Coordinates of all heavy atoms in Angstrom, one line a residue:
H163 N -13.2 12.6 2.1 CA -13.3 14.0 1.6 C -12.8 14.0 0.1 O -11.8 13.4 -0.2 CB -12.4 14.9 2.4 CG -12.9 15.1 3.8 ND1 -12.7 14.1 4.8 CD2 -13.5 16.2 4.4 CE1 -13.2 14.6 5.9 NE2 -13.6 15.8 5.7
L164 N -13.5 14.8 -0.7 CA -13.1 15.0 -2.1 C -12.2 16.2 -2.3 O -11.6 16.4 -3.3 CB -14.3 15.0 -3.0 CG -15.1 13.8 -3.1 CD1 -16.4 14.0 -3.9 CD2 -14.3 12.6 -3.7
T165 N -12.2 17.1 -1.3 CA -11.7 18.5 -1.6 C -10.4 18.7 -0.8 O -10.0 19.9 -0.6 CB -12.7 19.5 -1.2 OG1 -13.1 19.4 0.2 CG2 -14.0 19.4 -2.1
R166 N -9.8 17.7 -0.2 CA -8.5 18.0 0.5 C -7.4 18.3 -0.5 O -7.2 17.5 -1.4 CB -8.2 16.8 1.4 CG -9.1 16.8 2.7 CD -8.7 15.8 3.7 NE -9.4 16.0 4.9 CZ -9.5 15.2 5.9 NH1 -8.9 14.0 5.8 NH2 -10.1 15.5 7.0
D167 N -6.6 19.3 -0.2 CA -5.5 19.7 -1.0 C -4.2 19.1 -0.4 O -3.7 19.6 0.6 CB -5.4 21.2 -1.0 CG -4.3 21.7 -2.0 OD1 -3.4 21.0 -2.3 OD2 -4.5 22.9 -2.5
V168 N -3.8 18.0 -1.0 CA -2.8 17.2 -0.4 C -1.5 17.9 -0.2 O -0.8 18.0 0.8 CB -2.6 15.9 -1.1 CG1 -1.4 15.1 -0.6 CG2 -3.8 15.0 -1.1
R169 N -1.1 18.6 -1.3 CA 0.2 19.4 -1.3 C 0.1 20.5 -0.3 O 1.1 20.7 0.5 CB 0.5 19.9 -2.7 CG 1.0 18.8 -3.6 CD 1.2 19.3 -5.0 NE -0.1 19.6 -5.7 CZ -0.2 20.0 -6.9 NH1 0.8 20.1 -7.7 NH2 -1.4 20.2 -7.5
A170 N -1.0 21.2 -0.2 CA -1.1 22.3 0.8 C -1.1 21.8 2.2 O -0.4 22.4 3.1 CB -2.4 23.1 0.5
E171 N -1.7 20.7 2.4 CA -1.8 20.1 3.8 C -0.4 19.6 4.2 O 0.0 19.9 5.4 CB -2.7 18.9 3.8 CG -4.2 19.3 3.6 CD -4.8 19.8 4.9 OE1 -4.2 20.0 5.9 OE2 -6.1 20.1 4.8
L172 N 0.4 19.0 3.3 CA 1.7 18.6 3.6 C 2.6 19.8 3.9 O 3.4 19.7 4.9 CB 2.3 17.7 2.5 CG 1.7 16.3 2.4 CD1 2.1 15.7 1.1 CD2 2.1 15.4 3.5
T173 N 2.5 20.8 3.1 CA 3.4 22.0 3.3 C 3.1 22.6 4.6 O 4.0 23.0 5.4 CB 3.2 23.0 2.1 OG1 3.6 22.3 0.9 CG2 4.0 24.2 2.3
A174 N 1.8 22.7 5.0 CA 1.4 23.3 6.2 C 1.9 22.5 7.4 O 2.1 23.1 8.5 CB -0.2 23.5 6.3
A175 N 2.0 21.2 7.2 CA 2.5 20.4 8.3 C 4.0 20.4 8.5 O 4.5 19.7 9.3 CB 2.0 19.0 8.1
G176 N 4.7 21.1 7.6 CA 6.1 21.2 7.7 C 6.9 20.3 6.8 O 8.2 20.3 6.9
F177 N 6.3 19.5 6.0 CA 7.0 18.7 5.1 C 7.6 19.5 3.9 O 7.0 20.5 3.5 CB 6.1 17.6 4.5 CG 5.8 16.5 5.5 CD1 4.7 16.6 6.3 CD2 6.6 15.4 5.6 CE1 4.3 15.6 7.2 CE2 6.3 14.4 6.6 CZ 5.2 14.5 7.4
V178 N 8.7 19.0 3.3 CA 9.3 19.6 2.2 C 8.9 18.8 1.0 O 9.4 17.6 0.9 CB 10.8 19.7 2.3 CG1 11.4 20.4 1.1 CG2 11.2 20.6 3.6
L179 N 8.1 19.3 0.1 CA 7.7 18.5 -1.1 C 8.8 18.3 -2.0 O 9.6 19.2 -2.3 CB 6.6 19.3 -1.8 CG 5.2 19.4 -1.1 CD1 4.3 20.2 -1.9 CD2 4.6 18.0 -0.8
G180 N 8.9 17.0 -2.6 CA 9.8 16.7 -3.6 C 9.0 16.7 -4.9 O 8.1 17.5 -5.1
A181 N 9.4 15.8 -5.8 CA 8.6 15.7 -7.1 C 7.2 15.2 -6.8 O 7.0 14.1 -6.2 CB 9.4 14.7 -8.0

Side-chain angles (χ1 to χ4, degrees):
H163 295 72
L164 295 174
T165 59
R166 284 186 167 167
D167 187 334
V168 174
R169 286 174 290 185
E171 294 280 1
L172 286 167
T173 300
F177 287 91
V178 179
L179 291 176

